[in-house]
Amino acid sequence: MSDCLFCRLIAGEIPAAIVHQDDTLVAFKDVNPQAPLHVLIVPRKHIASLNDLSTDDDGLVGSMIRMAAALARDGGYHERGYRTVFNTNREAGQSVFHIHLHLLAGRALTWPPG
Ligand code: AMP
Ligand code: ZN
């Protein structure tokens, strides 16, 4: 059994509110939402952080971003606006070391982030 939380979630060993999945990606609701819409878009492939990407992953990362845009559109947030975030390592607050794209929408998001 993997000790990676998101690998286990993707394998169905941990429950999740999945909103979309395909051969390469799974999108599910964040368990501790920071906005009315807070979804995590996760590749089935285990990659610990953006520091571990290779050129082979360029298409995969592109599909993550395009899925975020599609889910924002599905939710009716594409014109109001939405935020997409990858946190990497300690100072950015990465807590799960399997890359995930946060999609946040449904409230005015401040800048700069905390
Ligand atoms: P990060 O801090 O960028 O690594 O984001 C990890 C995110 O995963 C946090 O927003 C957590 O709330 C979320 N999270 C942790 N465990 C789960 C889970 N079992 N299901 C859904 N989201 C989770
Ligand atoms: Zn993993």
Side-chain angles (χ1 to χ4, degrees), residues 35-91:
L37 176 70
H38 188 173
V39 169
L40 302 176
I41 297 146
V42 181
R44 292 184 185 277
K45 176 183 177 184
H46 179 88
I47 302 168
S49 83
L50 296 195
N51 291 333
D52 302 294
L53 290 171
S54 74
T55 53
D56 288 348
D57 301 314
D58 288 357
L60 182 65
V61 173
S63 70
M64 293 172 74
I65 294 168
R66 291 196 348 97
M67 183 180 285
L71 293 174
R73 178 173 289 272
D74 288 350
Y77 297 111
H78 58 299
E79 289 187 344
R80 286 173 60 184
Y82 55 93
R83 186 166 293 168
T84 46
V85 177
F86 286 101
N87 292 320
T88 301
N89 280 348
R90 186 182 65 254
E91 289 199 351

Side-chain angles (χ1 to χ4, degrees), residues 17-31:
I18 292 173
V19 298
H20 188 83
Q21 57 183 321
D22 61 27
D23 288 349
T24 55
L25 302 179
V26 179
F28 52 88
K29 293 182 181 177
D30 195 295
V31 75

